Amino acid sequence: MSVNGRSKRLDATVDRVGRDVAFLLLESVLPARERESFATPESFEAAAQLAERARGLLSSGDGPLFDLQRACEQLGLLAFSLSLGDGGGDAAYVDVDGWGVAVVNGDTDPGRRRFNLAHELGHHLVGDAYAAEVTITAGDETEKLLNAFAAYLLMPRSGVTATWNEFSDRDRRLAAIAVATRYRVSWSAALAHLRNLELIDSAEIEELTPATPRGGDLVELGEWWVPELDPPSVPPDYGRRVVTAYRASKLTAARAVELLWGTVTEADLPEVEGIPVDALRREFDPLQ
């Protein structure tokens, strides 16, 4: 059973992944990293500003932020999407010596997975690993503001407004579908954000909520939903470093497969070969 997006299975999994990352740091497979922390937002305006700052660090402009797993890795957050089943919670975050580690339940729908990961990126940026000393009231408020951060990160005001204006004169429902599809968020998240941006009102949310997108709507748009974070998936550069360490005989095949969380089998691993020292050094250069 999950409570507020958490579950025992999720907590145990993020703890195990955190220990994997600590091991890889100890073995110098992952580089040491110092994480810059930002102030925890105390208002919705501050949450939007934090999202804008994160997008600036990613040089992502105001368009859709695709390949969120890779983007998070650039900001020092290693994101894993793993199959945790119904009741397996949403997502969790831990800090490991400057790196952030997030586990997302890959069995939730694609839009929810992206939103949950964006929320955990917020925890990473503000250095909040669910500290026990935070009161329930303060914690609940922080969660709401990090949800706002996630919404603005995935759906920046200017880009969403432009998309809305492109379609709203013709069909306001189609305009909302265009936002959800282009920005790869759930229908409910798109509608809630459109309301926050005052592009629709509460009455229109009630009208649109049951009018979920259908396949024909996407054909009319000429656009398609491309799922992200299908389980199991591991951060791309993390995976590269694990395989490189295996090829350099720093990891056994069994340990490499374990660290890659079922994304490959031992038979999928490349042959161990002699690699020049300079080439190995380049493989383990810090992330840019």
Side-chain angles (χ1 to χ4, degrees):
M1 173 177 287
S2 64
V3 179
N4 296 326
R6 306 294 294 277
S7 73
K8 290 183 178 179
R9 185 175 184 186
L10 174 60
D11 287 343
T13 302
V14 75
D15 179 69
R16 180 181 160 193
V17 176
R19 284 187 275 112
D20 285 348
V21 170
F23 165 77
L24 292 174
L25 283 167
L26 184 65
E27 296 297 318
S28 299
V29 175
L30 288 173
R33 184 182 183 95
E34 291 187 9
R35 177 171 54 78
E36 179 183 3
S37 291
F38 300 88
T40 301
E42 297 182 351
S43 67
F44 288 105
E45 181 181 358
Q49 291 172 349
L50 180 61
E52 185 177 358
R53 182 71 182 275
R55 277 184 161 261
L57 293 172
L58 294 168
S59 302
S60 60
D62 65 356
L65 181 55
F66 297 148
D67 200 353
L68 186 59
Q69 191 174 35
R70 187 182 299 275
C72 286
E73 193 171 27
Q74 291 176 29
L75 298 179
L77 175 62
L78 300 172
F80 297 74
S81 179
L82 303 173
S83 181
L84 301 177
D86 293 339
D90 289 325
Y93 168 84
V94 293
D95 177 88
V96 182
D97 296 330
W99 284 94
V101 174
V103 172
V104 175
N105 185 354
D107 291 327
T108 58
D109 70 75
R112 185 173 169 186
R113 293 195 299 253
R114 275 174 48 85
F115 193 92
N116 290 338
L117 178 52
H119 178 100
E120 301 309 321
L121 178 60
H123 279 287
H124 174 66
L125 292 177
V126 303
D128 174 16
Y130 299 100
E133 64 272 15
V134 176
T135 65
I136 295 298
T137 301
D140 286 348
E141 185 62 24
T142 297
E143 292 299 297
K144 290 177 184 178
L145 291 171
L146 290 182
N147 277 341
F149 161 82
Y152 279 105
L153 179 77
L154 297 178
M155 297 174 282
R157 179 187 293 272
S158 56
V160 167
T161 300
T163 298
W164 175 261
N165 291 337
E166 182 181 345
F167 293 94
S168 58
D169 287 344
R170 173 159 56 107
D171 185 329
R172 292 171 71 82
R173 175 177 172 272
L174 192 65
I177 293 172
V179 170
T181 303
R182 287 185 182 179
Y183 289 87
R184 297 184 186 174
V185 296
S186 69
W187 183 234
S188 60
L191 294 181
H193 198 53
L194 288 170
R195 176 68 185 93
N196 290 337
L197 297 179
E198 299 183 340
L199 295 172
I200 61 176
D201 57 26
S202 298
E204 200 162 11
I205 279 191
E206 291 186 13
E207 177 186 346
L208 288 173
T209 295
T212 54
R214 299 183 293 267
D217 297 316
L218 302 187
V219 173
E220 183 178 6
L221 279 174
E223 301 181 20
W224 291 267
W225 181 282
V226 180
E228 292 184 27
L229 298 165
D230 285 335
S233 62
V234 301
D237 199 69
Y238 166 97
R240 179 182 68 85
R241 289 171 181 274
V242 169
V243 172
T244 297
Y246 162 73
R247 291 175 60 230
S249 299
K250 295 185 70 173
L251 298 170
T252 66
R255 184 60 170 136
V257 168
E258 185 179 56
L259 290 164
L260 294 172
W261 286 88
T263 55
V264 299
T265 66
E266 290 190 24
D268 295 321
L269 292 172
E271 293 184 5
V272 175
E273 300 175 353
I275 305 174
V277 173
D278 287 344
L280 278 175
R281 185 177 297 115
R282 287 194 300 272
E283 290 283 1
F284 291 111
D285 283 343
L287 292 170
Q288 299 298 318

